[in-house]
Amino acid sequence: MGASESKLTFKEDVFRLAREDNIPADSQWWAQFYELPETADDVFALWSPTDVRNLTLNTAERPPPGTQLPPKKNLETLIYTCIARLHALQTRCCYSDPHQPIAHEVLNCIRILTRLLPYIYEADHLEEWERNFFWRERRPAQVWDKRHNRPGGYFDGLNPAKKYRDSEQGNGEEEEDIGERAIGAPLGEQLIDLLVRYMFFPNFTLPKKQDADGLPDLKVQYHIWNSGIGCRQSVGMTKENEKHAVEVIRLLLSLCSRQLYIPPHVVAETDTRPLTYLTTKPDRQVALSMICSLMNTVLKYNPATWRVPIDFTIEGDPKTKLVNLSLQLLLVLALYPDPTGEANQYRKSMSRLHRVEDFQFIQQGLTTVLTQPVSGMSSYLPGSQRNVPWAPEMLILFWELLQVNKRFRSFIIETDRAHDFVVLVLYYAMSAKDEPAKQGMVRMCVLILQTMSVEPTFGERLNKVFVGQESLPRELRIVNFHGSYADFLITSIHTLMTTTSGRLESIYPALLAVVNNIAPYVRDLQRATSSKLLDLFAQISSPKFLLEKDSNHHMLQLLLQAMNAILEHQFDANRRFVEVVVRSRKRFKALRDFTVEGATAELDRQAQERKDRGVGDVAASGVRSPRNGSIDSLRSPVSARSPQLGNVPEHGAFAIGDDDEDEPGDEMTSSATFSAPLSASASLVDDAVPMQSRSMSEKARGKQPVGQGSFSRSTSRNTSTASLPALITTPSSTTNTITASSNQQFRPTTEWIETWLPFLPLHTILSLLDHAARADSGAAAVPTTTAEHAGWKPGEEVAPPTSQAFQWTSLSLGWYLSLLWGFVYASDVATNKGMNGVWTGTSIKLFTILASQGGNVSLRSPKGAVDAVGSSIVQRLGSLSFNSPAKDV
């Protein structure tokens, strides 16, 4: 369509679709739509959003809310025309010249459907029509009798020449309702079957092939595209084949994008029919060919073989587009949790991978992409240290494989490969921590670490000495660092919690869960690492923090459990940690003697000191108001457990290891917040411990331990069954601090303290401190070696360690799906400028799109305060939930 005149004529016919409804379906006029356009840009430019929306309305005005009206009849006819042509081109030689390639018309039909579907999905008034038109058994279409201005006869929408007549009258039988007669499988299923076959169609997505008569072969061949998993030899796709595959996958993504138009709090529980059919109904051979083709295409990508300088843009090269879209389709299929309970065949296939060579292939493919910005090739290849655009999606793929395939998880964790992935995951978390638009990426990285840390072997492998830290990217380097991978991980966690101004408050529990999971296995923690753990304790045991909200003590409990695990399981191997704990004994004893009166008096004293020094009372008065605009608050998963999605088998919706053997724990639904400022270099041997134990009630005193007294003991790893909630904090004006929101309705009382203080897991630490005091009797100096504490043992038999695994819920799945679709949307916008994006300008409900400078987009996921949906889900998505403990993960 190079000539302007032909484009104007075509555009006039597009206008006619909306202006003149009920154009006869058997008219040859419809053929121009798949014959004339020459490129995808032609279709997207000549079918503007206004043109498409005009087809979705049955009247000149948008129908009132809640009104279910069908679209213009021309929209149905256009869809029938495209699907019918796709079927004809796949099943018979329907050209006058049988040697003419079919690609041109196939692509135009695909492009038209790709353009139409998002505008159908966004229209709430078409929801019932879309469900009936695409997913009910196909019924006859009906012509419009223009002469008499009334409904006419019935015909087959995919074959207008086939008419249906009324049954003969007068035979005493009731007339058949032709309009409700089933004449075929649902139209949506037929379309998906056609598209899947086109992914393996000779002369289109596979190399050219002729039949015995020398004509183009029309037989579908389910050959895996590239060598790798399940295949030793590639089929040899040409650039043209790759271009065609890109357009087919793009339409499949458009079909599956129904999820984009569902609010995040219900998306995981909503039956998305295209995804249900794709993931639960495929023939086994088709599913294996699909998943292997997609995975091999993604994992064989190697930027080192590309031209210099390396170009990672998706816009020009068909190979790059194919890799990116293949990864997105693979993840959209694999992440879908079918609400009907049927097994997702793609997850099932991923869970059954078991060959070591397949795992090596997967690991190499993942690291090739993820290590690109970390590799040190910049001196030879300028511009090579750049993130591959689909690196976030590769992290999702890695996380999925860890969750669904326990053999792959063992392959990664039981070798030094785990060290590489810890560094890589931390790199992406650290790189994104200061960018509000990337907080979902940070959350995902933390949950990947939590998933890995549930394996005992992971904690044991972290004791390897970390070398080469100085060669890491700037984002990962730690000044004067020396120690093990455990030291590196704990220090990085401390950095994420103390340098992000409260942006990551919702994942503090997950960060501390990682520390909890590795604590029983870490040995020889360095002094700096030990001090950072005590820094966190000093902050969350402060009066200000504990009195701010009635649930803040849960976070303190979680940290104490981690510290107990180190003392109970690795006491002799962590002399520096023991020394730091002993030097901080006044803080633990102050916590033991905590009272409301004493804590309030201490806060008043601190406030008076600041006033006397002329320091502003920003952090003292209470607390700043919560960050209602927090990205994390809008994205964070929740603590409520979903009955439909809990305890799924390994190949099911979302499983980690032997999930069917786990026992779900009780859950706490409250949230906690940090408040006290924290300096990463603060000394923990300061004697200025808060005087928070004054005016303690006799009843409370009777419950406190003396020496190795009678504290109700909750061991660090085996007695708590609570899911600890998220933190909701406010930004701080300084670095290395964590600030908190307050509960204005909460008034602490002595009765409230007695509900949790006697049950804090303090027994182990106080027992150690009591032993140290006796060993140190009369000495002027604080002991500096564990030899002086020799002979100390926990007062009771130590239970075996257990893990705190992340627990999926329907709302956390909503966050996860919004994260994935956010990546898909952003990638499409970056590739297709202006209104040429598949979903650009449509009314997406899964997340909020924020425009930014330079024409880029920023995603807030789930959808935020710009509409009523976002404001209603902020409270629902306020916390993370994880199971504590799991019996065997």
Side-chain angles (χ1 to χ4, degrees), residues 533-534 537 559-567 577 581 588 765:
L533 289 175
L534 269 296
F537 170 76
L559 183 58
L560 286 171
Q561 287 174 348
M563 297 167 69
N564 284 348
I566 298 174
L567 296 175
F577 178 76
V581 169
F588 293 102
I765 294 174

Side-chain angles (χ1 to χ4, degrees), residues 28-320:
Q28 188 58 31
W29 179 82
W30 293 97
Q32 64 173 321
F33 294 117
Y34 55 73
E35 290 177 349
L36 296 182
E38 297 174 356
T39 65
D41 287 346
D42 283 344
V43 173
F44 278 70
L46 293 169
W47 295 79
S48 72
T50 301
D51 296 328
V52 181
R53 287 194 176 103
N54 285 339
L55 287 178
T56 66
L57 297 177
N58 203 346
T59 61
E61 302 270 338
R62 180 174 289 276
T67 304
Q68 296 285 321
L69 293 177
K72 286 184 170 62
K73 208 68 177 177
N74 285 346
L75 179 61
E76 293 186 1
T77 304
L78 182 60
I79 294 171
Y80 275 131
T81 298
C82 292
I83 296 177
R85 192 60 178 172
L86 286 173
H87 181 266
L89 293 169
Q90 193 175 93
T91 55
R92 64 182 186 274
C93 294
C94 51
Y95 282 104
S96 56
D97 180 1
H99 296 282
Q100 184 178 355
I102 66 169
H104 177 71
E105 292 191 5
V106 172
L107 291 175
N108 280 334
C109 291
I110 287 174
R111 291 160 183 166
I112 292 172
L113 293 171
T114 302
R115 187 59 159 171
L116 295 177
L117 284 167
Y119 294 92
I120 293 174
Y121 290 154
E122 75 162 359
D124 292 337
H125 66 282
L126 293 185
E127 184 177 353
E128 182 178 348
W129 169 85
E130 180 252 332
R131 183 170 56 249
N132 292 332
F133 183 73
F134 283 102
W135 302 108
R136 190 177 67 164
E137 287 186 315
R138 193 159 55 86
R139 266 59 172 175
Q142 192 172 22
V143 300
W144 186 260
D145 187 345
K146 291 187 176 181
R147 181 177 180 181
H148 299 93
N149 195 29
R150 65 185 183 187
Y154 291 93
F155 64 97
D156 185 344
L158 294 178
N159 182 14
K162 185 176 182 180
K163 310 293 184 182
Y164 294 94
R165 299 182 180 277
D166 294 343
S167 59
E168 294 184 2
Q169 303 295 315
N171 58 3
E173 297 180 3
E174 184 178 349
E175 182 179 353
E176 181 181 6
D177 188 353
I178 297 177
E180 292 301 315
R181 178 193 302 174
I183 61 172
L187 191 63
E189 294 182 4
Q190 291 181 274
L191 174 58
I192 288 175
D193 290 341
L194 285 169
L195 295 176
V196 170
R197 289 197 292 267
Y198 269 118
M199 290 184 69
F200 303 95
F201 201 64
N203 308 300
F204 188 67
T205 49
L206 297 183
K208 293 181 179 179
K209 187 177 181 181
Q210 295 180 334
D211 60 18
D213 299 326
L215 299 175
D217 194 347
L218 300 181
K219 184 179 179 181
V220 178
Q221 299 173 344
Y222 292 104
H223 293 164
I224 298 172
W225 292 347
N226 292 290
S227 60
I229 300 172
C231 179
R232 295 186 179 276
Q233 185 174 358
S234 300
V235 296
M237 296 174 74
T238 65
K239 281 196 173 184
E240 286 300 310
N241 296 148
E242 291 173 347
K243 288 180 180 178
H244 300 160
V246 162
E247 303 232 27
V248 177
I249 294 176
R250 202 177 179 207
L251 176 52
L252 282 171
L253 281 171
S254 182
L255 260 171
C256 297
S257 67
R258 184 74 180 84
Q259 290 184 318
L260 279 171
Y261 305 93
I262 302 172
H265 59 285
V266 295
V267 65
E269 299 173 347
T270 302
D271 185 1
T272 306
R273 294 298 298 275
L275 280 166
T276 298
Y277 183 72
L278 272 166
T279 58
T280 64
K281 305 300 182 184
D283 178 82
R284 183 173 181 273
Q285 180 188 0
V286 175
L288 290 175
S289 297
M290 278 274 287
I291 193 171
C292 291
S293 293
L294 296 174
M295 287 190 70
N296 293 351
T297 299
V298 170
L299 296 169
K300 283 183 71 71
Y301 169 79
N302 187 356
T305 63
W306 285 34
R307 62 186 180 277
V308 180
I310 294 176
D311 182 11
F312 296 138
T313 59
I314 309 172
E315 300 175 34
D317 187 82
K319 182 70 170 181
T320 314

Side-chain angles (χ1 to χ4, degrees), residues 521-590:
Y521 311 103
V522 297
R523 299 185 295 274
D524 197 27
L525 284 179
Q526 299 299 302
R527 189 178 304 279
T529 309
S530 303
S531 296
K532 285 177 172 57
L533 289 175
L534 269 296
D535 281 344
L536 292 177
F537 170 76
Q539 173 173 309
I540 63 179
S541 64
S542 67
K544 184 175 187 300
F545 169 72
L546 290 174
L547 297 187
E548 275 178 345
K549 296 186 72 174
D550 60 352
S551 56
N552 282 3
H553 58 87
H554 296 310
M555 191 60 57
L556 176 59
Q557 181 181 20
L558 182 57
L559 183 58
L560 286 171
Q561 287 174 348
M563 297 167 69
N564 284 348
I566 298 174
L567 296 175
E568 292 172 350
H569 296 280
Q570 298 293 340
F571 176 79
D572 294 332
N574 283 290
R575 61 181 181 85
R576 298 180 187 88
F577 178 76
V578 174
E579 292 166 13
V580 172
V581 169
V582 172
R583 287 176 181 271
S584 304
R585 52 185 151 194
K586 289 186 178 180
R587 295 190 180 275
F588 293 102
K589 292 180 179 179

Side-chain angles (χ1 to χ4, degrees), residues 496-537:
L496 285 170
M497 296 179 69
T498 60
T499 64
T500 49
S501 301
R503 288 186 298 272
L504 303 180
E505 73 277 359
S506 62
I507 55 172
Y508 292 159
L511 287 165
L512 290 179
V514 175
V515 179
N516 249 293
N517 291 343
I518 67 173
Y521 311 103
V522 297
R523 299 185 295 274
D524 197 27
L525 284 179
Q526 299 299 302
R527 189 178 304 279
T529 309
S530 303
S531 296
K532 285 177 172 57
L533 289 175
L534 269 296
D535 281 344
L536 292 177
F537 170 76

